[in-house]
Each structure stands twice: as C-alpha cells, then as structure tokens.
Amino acid sequence: MTTLYVCTTCKREGADPDADRDGAKLLAAIVAQNVPDAVQVVPVECLSACSNGCAVALTEAGKWTYVYGRMDPDLHAAEILEGAAKYAASADGIVPWRDRPVIFRKQSVARIPPLVPAQE
C-alpha cells in the first residue's frame, strides 16, 4: 500500500503566524476528497521541507520515495491524490514524467531510492 504523508505543521512563506497551519488545511482538503483505495493518508508533524511551504511525501516498500513541496491547500488536493494513485499503480514508484500531475513535475523536493533490506 502506498503511504501519502502530509506535513501538518507546514506554513507557506508569508503566512499569517496566527492563522491555522496550511499543512493542516492541506490534510483536511485531501481527506475530504475520494482517496484511492491503494493509498493511505498519514499526517506527520514535520517533513523538514520548511522552506518549501506545504509538503507531502509518497512512499511504498520497494519503490522510490518522493517529497513534494509548495503545495497549496486551496488548489492541489485533487492533483496530489491523482499523483498518489499513479504512484501506487507503478511498479517502482517512477511515474513517467508526462503522466505526472503538473505539480509533481515542477515541485519535487527530493527523490529517495528504495530502501534495501540489510544483508544477513
């Protein structure tokens, strides 16, 4: 199963310091959508992508992991879930560039290789 981590403590640059956290708003917008069956949404308190506004990460055992930033809680929930579904359907986590939602093409923060079990 694919895990979509959503940072709940993110704030976009220039956001009102007294306002609700943009990351929490993004999480609410995502779970209000029709989340694909192959995707579980997990809130986390920090993805250490603070300079990149709202951040999410996609991961699954044996697949590449991706971190995306500069997500807008008012605009990107549906695109994030579209990208998560395509990631879940991929064999290795690599969705062809042209098949990715535009926000995933342009707002990647990191790509991490699959974790390999330790050799015994």
Side-chain angles (χ1 to χ4, degrees):
M1 168 147 320
T2 291
T3 300
L4 170 63
Y5 291 106
V6 181
C7 180
T8 60
T9 55
C10 284
K11 278 201 169 200
R12 289 180 285 181
E13 188 174 331
D16 178 354
D18 296 324
D20 291 338
R21 298 277 177 170
D22 291 313
K25 291 178 189 176
L26 179 61
L27 174 66
I30 288 171
V31 298
Q33 302 278 322
N34 186 14
V35 176
D37 290 337
V39 177
Q40 65 178 342
V41 179
V42 177
V44 293
E45 288 196 10
C46 186
L47 287 173
S48 288
C50 301
S51 64
N52 289 292
C54 292
V56 299
L58 283 169
T59 192
E60 185 174 328
K63 293 185 177 185
W64 285 81
T65 295
Y66 288 85
V67 179
Y68 298 101
R70 299 176 300 285
M71 301 287 122
D72 188 314
D74 299 321
L75 301 175
H76 295 142
E79 284 182 273
I80 291 167
L81 289 174
E82 174 192 353
K86 289 180 178 183
Y87 175 92
S90 72
D92 56 5
I94 301 173
V95 176
W97 192 82
R98 290 182 183 201
D99 292 340
R100 297 175 194 170
V102 172
I103 60 166
F104 281 8
R105 291 183 211 163
K106 303 201 178 227
Q107 293 166 215
S108 179
V109 174
R111 180 179 133 166
I112 304 158
L115 296 177
V116 178
Q119 298 291 327
E120 291 187 31

